[in-house]
Amino acid sequence: MRLRVTHPARTTAVAATALLTLSLGVLPAQAADATRTTPPTTAAARHTPALDRAALRASLDAFRDAGMYGAFSSVRSGQEKWRGATGVADTATGRPMAPGFEHRIGSISKTFTAVAVLKEVERGRIDLDAPVGRYLPGLVTGERAEKVTVRMLLNHTSGIADYILPAFPGILEDPGATLDRNRLRPIEPEELARLGLAATPAPERGKHSYSNTNYILAGLILEKTTGQDAETYITRNVIRPAGLRHTYYPTSPSLRGPHAGMYESFYGLIDPPRDYSTYDMSWASTAGAMVSTMDDLNTFYRKLLGGKLLGAAALREMKTTVPGYETPPGEQPVLRYGLGIYTLKMPGGAWYWGHDGAVFGAGTWSLATEDGRRQVSLAYNYMKYERFDEHGQQLPDPITPAMVAYMDGALGGAPAPKGLRSATPVLPPLVDRLPVR
């Protein structure tokens, strides 16, 4: 069944249900207990298997064959590298994907923001456990000013709601018109922060609940403590030291270099899907506005996890995690969130570090072994492809298992476990999927 905007009440309810999942139908969206731990080093981090180029090519093509318009990826194992692309960058002309394209990376931007904050922690200008009101008086007020800490912003336990829905009023009823109407609209970080601080219902403080508002506030704290625009500071102190040549905050609605069209379906409510590769990304700011390439993302996470961007103490803080979702008694979560980075147990059984990102039309996923030697970054250009019935239940989806199979195989150096395609895959929440609490 294809949902259409001709039945506003039904489609709004179904879309809201879809957004509540915060995932590709596999991880629940409930809040999690915020006991902080650091996962042990895993077997995946102790060896670096060789790349199977034929298997990588076949698996990436299988992702396309499952229904993804186009994708491109970069894989690294020690000094060995592989890059590949599949499918189309433009659905109208058939222009092919290319592995070196630039791409909007969404919430992977949060890792960069967290690194910048931790650099200021190392310099003694920010205290992770200080109340946010110390840095943003007048913006964060009342009990929050004293009870919410910088750490809570970075690991999403602040209890502050997301600003996305109030920033895009009408998006559940008519997403195409809403996204078109706001395509070229600039919006200031302070306005985004105020929308999130005023949004209801607010999640429970102390429990992990993903909110983009947290990283807008983190960017504003950077500005207050450094006297620089946050995006400028991150460029000078994170992007450049990492040696990234194609990673930047866009200064216009268009990307600088060659890129694919980025097609948004919004669970079938935008039919046919529309290209939103040209968009004013001020609505995402330090929470998700960055552009990068898959090679740059591999370089970034390799240097970060290898201790080249932060000192040992700061990196330990970054990798101190809280459960990413609530589990039944006796079960352990397979995703734990740190400070702008998470650790995830993939179906093959190994744990990896990284982040994902999703903005309108563009998805990205980057994972690495704990030592940073084995990495994969994947970009794709068809978003919210999942479909739901009139009761809000997700219909069978071949695309997601194919994506998981590619990532798991690329990380492990072998095809994904037998039967993965028919099993329920383990995935992180794609955290930019317009959270509703």
Side-chain angles (χ1 to χ4, degrees), residues 76-79 81 242 244 295-309 366 368-375:
R76 184 184 181 109
S77 184
Q79 297 303 309
K81 299 178 183 178
L244 308 183
D295 283 342
D296 266 13
L297 289 184
N298 282 351
T299 297
F300 171 65
Y301 280 110
R302 185 174 71 256
K303 290 189 175 182
L304 173 61
L305 294 168
K308 301 296 178 59
L309 301 181
S366 188
T369 53
E370 189 169 30
D371 60 6
R373 290 184 57 79
R374 181 81 177 206
Q375 302 169 283

Side-chain angles (χ1 to χ4, degrees), residues 271-297:
D271 185 15
R274 297 178 197 169
D275 177 7
Y276 289 107
S277 56
T278 298
Y279 215 93
D280 188 313
M281 292 301 295
S282 60
W283 68 267
S285 187
T286 49
M290 292 180 72
V291 173
S292 190
T293 64
M294 300 307 99
D295 283 342
D296 266 13
L297 289 184

